[in-house]
C-alpha cells in the first residue's frame, strides 16, 4: 500500500478553511480509503497521548496494566518508589509479551523463559546465562514509553519526542479538577463495548456536535437544557457544557442528583470524558480504529461505589440502549453514504456564538487531523500544531 503524500493531504483537505464559517469538511476519501486508516494509526495514534486506565488500577507499588496502543503491546507499572513507568511489553530475549491484563506483581517475569525484570524495567535475572561470554544483564532494560498521570487517568505516548500532556493540555486538567474534583477517588463500575461499522473519525465527528441532537436524541434534549449548551475549542481539546438533570425527563431519573451539569471534554484524538447528571460520576468513551470502516468503542463508568444504585442502572441503560444505539445508527449510515459516489464533502455549519447547534468542534478536529497528516509526511516530530 503506497504511503500518502503531501499531494494526498492537500486533496483530502481541499475545502477546509481556518474560518469554520467558510469551511468544508474533510473529503470522504479520508474516511473510506484504507490508506488513510494506516496513516491515522501511524501519524495520529502512535504520536499522541492515549488513555490506558484510571489511577485506581495503579495506586500501589507493583500495580500494572497491559494495553495495546497503535497496535503496540504496552505495560504500565507503579514502581517501588511510587513512580509510574511504561514499557513496550516485550521481552528482550525472544520478544514474548511479558504482562497480561492487570494486577499486582513484585517483578516482571516473562512467561516464556522466565527472564525477570524489576519494576524499573532492568533485567534482574536470566536463567542459565551466568557462564556466557559477553553477557551482562546490567546492560539490558525494557524499552521505555512516555507515561503521565493526568486528570485522574494514566496516559502513554509512543512518540519519545512528544511534549508532556500536562504541558499540551494543562488547562483541561484544571477544568476537570473544577467540575469533577472527585474523579480520582471514583471507582470503576461498568464497561460497555461496541463494534461499529464506521471509520473512527466519523464517530468523533458525531461526538463533537449537537447540531443533530434535536433530531436524533429526543430524550437527551429533554435531559439537557439546550438553551445553555455551549461548545468551546482549545489547543488539543474541546468542551461541551450545559445545565441538565434539574427536572423530570424522558432519559432517566435524576431525582436527588448531586451533579446537575452536562460536562463533556474531548481530548485529541480519541478520548471522550463525560460527567452526566446524577450521583458523583465520570465516564470515558474511547474510540479505537479496528480496521477499514470499523471502530471499537468502549464506554467505562466510574461511580462513588462499584455497585450501581437504581438511578445509575437506569442511566447506564439509557446510554446503552437508547443514546448509543441512536449514535451508532447515525455513524454507520454516514459511513455507507460516504462510500457512494453521491458524497464527497459537506459544509461546516457554524454559529459564532458557540452554541451546541454548531459544528465548530468538528472543524477544530479536522484541523488537528490535517496538521497531523502534514507533520507525518514532512517527517517532523509529532506536535499539537493547530491553534486554539
Amino acid at each position: 500500500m503506497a504511503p500518502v503524500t503531501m499531494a494526498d493531504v492537500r486533496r483530502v483537505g481541499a475545502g477546509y478553511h481556518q474560518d469554520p464559517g467558510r469551511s468544508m469538511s474533510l473529503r470522504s476519501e479520508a474516511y473510506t480509503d484504507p490508506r488513510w486508516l494506516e496513516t491515522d494509526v501511524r501519524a495520529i495514534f502512535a504520536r499522541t497521548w492515549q488513555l490506558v486506565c484510571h489511577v485506581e488500577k495503579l495506586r500501589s507499588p507493583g500495580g500494572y496494566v497491559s494495553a495495546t496502543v497503535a497496535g503496540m503491546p504496552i505495560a504500565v507499572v507503579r514502581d517501588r518508589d511510587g513512580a509510574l513507568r511504561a514499557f513496550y511489553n516485550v521481552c528482550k530475549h525472544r520478544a514474548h509479551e511479558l504482562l497480561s491484563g492487570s494486577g499486582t506483581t513484585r517483578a516482571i517475569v516473562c512467561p516464556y523463559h522466565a527472564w525477570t525484570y524489576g519494576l524499573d524495567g532492568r533485567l534482574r535475572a536470566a536463567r542459565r546465562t551466568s557462564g556466557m561470554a559477553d553477557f551482562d544483564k546490567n546492560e539490558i532494560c525494557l524499552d521505555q514509553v512516555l507515561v503521565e498521570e493526568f486528570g485522574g487517568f494514566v496516559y502513554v505516548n509512543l512518540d519519545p519526542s512528544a511534549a508532556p500532556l500536562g504541558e499540551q493540555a494543562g488547562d483541561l486538567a484544571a477544568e476537570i479538577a473544577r467540575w469533577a474534583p472527585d474523579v480520582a477517588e471514583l471507582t470503576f463500575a461498568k464497561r460497555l463495548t461496541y463494534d461499529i461499522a464506521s471509520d473512527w473519525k466519523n464517530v468523533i465527528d458525531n461526538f463533537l456536535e449537537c447540531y443533530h441532537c434535536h433530531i436524533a436524541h429526543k430524550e437527551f434534549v429533554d435531559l439537557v437544557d439546550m438553551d445553555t449548551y455551549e461548545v468551546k475549542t482549545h489547543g488539543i481539546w474541546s468542551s461541551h457544557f450545559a445545565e441538565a438533570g434539574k427536572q423530570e425527563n424522558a432519559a432517566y431519573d435524576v431525582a436527588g442528583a448531586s451533579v446537575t451539569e452536562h460536562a463533556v471534554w474531548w481530548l485529541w484524538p480519541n478520548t471522550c470524558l463525560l460527567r452526566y447528571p446524577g450521583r458523583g460520576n465520570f465516564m470515558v468513551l474511547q474510540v479505537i480504529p479496528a480496521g477499514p470502516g470499523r471502530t471499537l468503542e468502549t464506554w467505562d463508568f466510574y461511580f462513588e461505589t462499584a455497585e450501581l444504585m437504581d438511578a445509575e442502572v437506569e442511566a447506564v441503560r439509557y446510554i446503552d440502549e437508547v443514546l448509543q444505539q441512536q449514535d451508532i445508527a447515525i455513524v454507520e449510515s454516514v459511513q455507507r453514504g460516504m462510500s457512494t459516489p453521491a458524497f464527497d464533502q459537506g459544509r461546516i455549519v457554524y454559529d459564532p456564538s458557540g452554541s451546541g447547534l454548531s459544528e465548530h468542534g468538528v472543524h477544530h478536529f479536522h484541523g488537528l487531523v490535517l496538521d497531523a497528516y502534514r507533520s507525518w509526511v514532512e517527517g517532523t516530530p509529532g506536535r499539537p500544531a493547530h491553534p486554539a
Side-chain angles (χ1 to χ4, degrees):
M1 190 179 297
V4 300
T5 65
M6 191 57 72
D8 294 325
V9 176
R10 286 193 289 268
R11 186 177 64 254
V12 297
Y16 177 86
H17 195 283
Q18 290 292 335
D19 179 357
R22 301 174 61 187
S23 187
M24 301 290 283
S25 67
L26 296 176
R27 298 180 72 177
S28 59
E29 169 191 343
Y31 299 81
T32 59
D33 188 332
R35 282 200 312 158
W36 288 105
L37 175 63
E38 180 181 357
T39 303
D40 287 345
V41 173
R42 299 173 68 190
I44 298 177
F45 284 81
R47 305 176 103 194
T48 52
W49 288 95
Q50 293 292 307
L51 185 144
V52 174
C53 65
H54 187 264
V55 293
E56 74 170 339
K57 283 194 172 184
L58 295 166
R59 291 199 199 280
S60 303
Y64 71 87
V65 173
S66 63
T68 300
V69 175
M72 299 290 131
I74 303 297
V76 183
V77 302
R78 180 80 69 179
D79 71 15
R80 296 189 186 284
D81 296 325
L84 280 176
R85 295 180 180 271
F87 313 97
Y88 282 95
N89 191 18
V90 177
C91 184
K92 303 300 285 187
H93 174 221
R94 295 280 297 281
H96 197 285
E97 293 180 358
L98 295 164
L99 296 170
S100 61
S102 61
T104 304
T105 185
R106 295 172 62 88
I108 301 171
V109 181
C110 180
Y112 192 9
H113 297 101
W115 279 33
T116 301
Y117 303 83
L119 299 180
D120 61 358
R122 295 185 180 278
L123 182 64
R124 300 303 185 202
R127 295 169 49 248
R128 305 185 69 81
T129 60
S130 59
M132 291 174 53
D134 302 321
F135 183 89
D136 184 355
K137 69 177 186 296
N138 295 317
E139 295 179 351
I140 299 175
C141 185
L142 301 178
D143 288 14
Q144 297 200 31
V145 172
L146 297 179
V147 61
E148 193 167 336
E149 186 174 325
F150 181 90
F153 292 84
V154 175
Y155 295 78
V156 298
N157 195 320
L158 302 186
D159 180 4
S161 67
L165 182 54
E167 178 182 313
Q168 293 188 36
D171 44 356
L172 171 58
E175 186 159 308
I176 292 173
R178 175 189 174 194
W179 292 98
D182 57 347
V183 60
E185 306 309 316
L186 298 175
T187 190
F188 174 77
K190 189 173 181 64
R191 165 170 283 192
L192 301 175
T193 303
Y194 308 92
D195 192 337
I196 303 173
S198 178
D199 183 79
W200 74 276
K201 295 186 296 296
N202 267 329
V203 178
I204 297 295
D205 284 351
N206 182 65
F207 182 85
L208 291 176
E209 53 93 351
C210 216
Y211 181 47
H212 70 284
C213 290
H214 284 91
I215 311 304
H217 303 310
K218 303 292 188 182
E219 301 83 3
F220 179 81
V221 298
D222 198 29
L223 171 69
V224 173
D225 182 355
M226 292 299 296
D227 290 337
T228 66
Y229 203 112
E230 184 178 39
V231 177
K232 294 182 178 180
T233 61
H234 307 267
I236 62 164
W237 61 281
S238 60
S239 63
H240 297 228
F241 279 97
E243 295 179 9
K246 295 186 176 181
Q247 60 187 19
E248 286 190 27
N249 64 86
Y252 60 88
D253 181 17
V254 293
S258 58
V259 177
T260 55
E261 301 90 16
H262 168 71
V264 172
W265 301 273
W266 166 77
L267 176 61
W268 162 257
N270 63 316
T271 301
C272 308
L273 310 168
L274 310 95
R275 189 162 168 99
Y276 268 29
R279 193 166 62 132
N281 70 90
F282 207 84
M283 293 167 279
V284 178
L285 176 62
Q286 196 169 30
V287 177
I288 303 292
R294 180 168 166 250
T295 295
L296 179 65
E297 188 176 277
T298 57
W299 196 311
D300 288 340
F301 294 81
Y302 299 86
F303 291 115
E304 295 174 14
T305 59
E307 185 174 343
L308 277 62
M309 298 177 64
D310 290 346
E312 291 160 349
V313 171
E314 188 179 342
V316 171
R317 182 206 58 78
Y318 159 68
I319 290 171
D320 183 28
E321 299 179 10
V322 181
L323 185 66
Q324 277 293 95
Q325 300 311 312
Q326 293 165 343
D327 278 331
I328 290 170
I330 288 170
V331 298
E332 290 187 338
S333 177
V334 168
Q335 187 70 27
R336 291 192 296 270
M338 284 185 167
S339 301
T340 72
F343 182 84
D344 183 31
Q345 61 186 159
R347 184 68 179 266
I348 294 292
V349 174
Y350 177 53
D351 176 2
S353 73
S355 79
L357 305 180
S358 176
E359 295 176 321
H360 57 287
V362 178
H363 172 266
H364 174 244
F365 170 51
H366 291 179
L368 286 168
V369 169
L370 291 171
D371 284 341
Y373 289 166
R374 285 189 288 265
S375 175
W376 174 252
V377 173
E378 291 170 353
T380 54
R383 71 214 191 279
H386 193 66

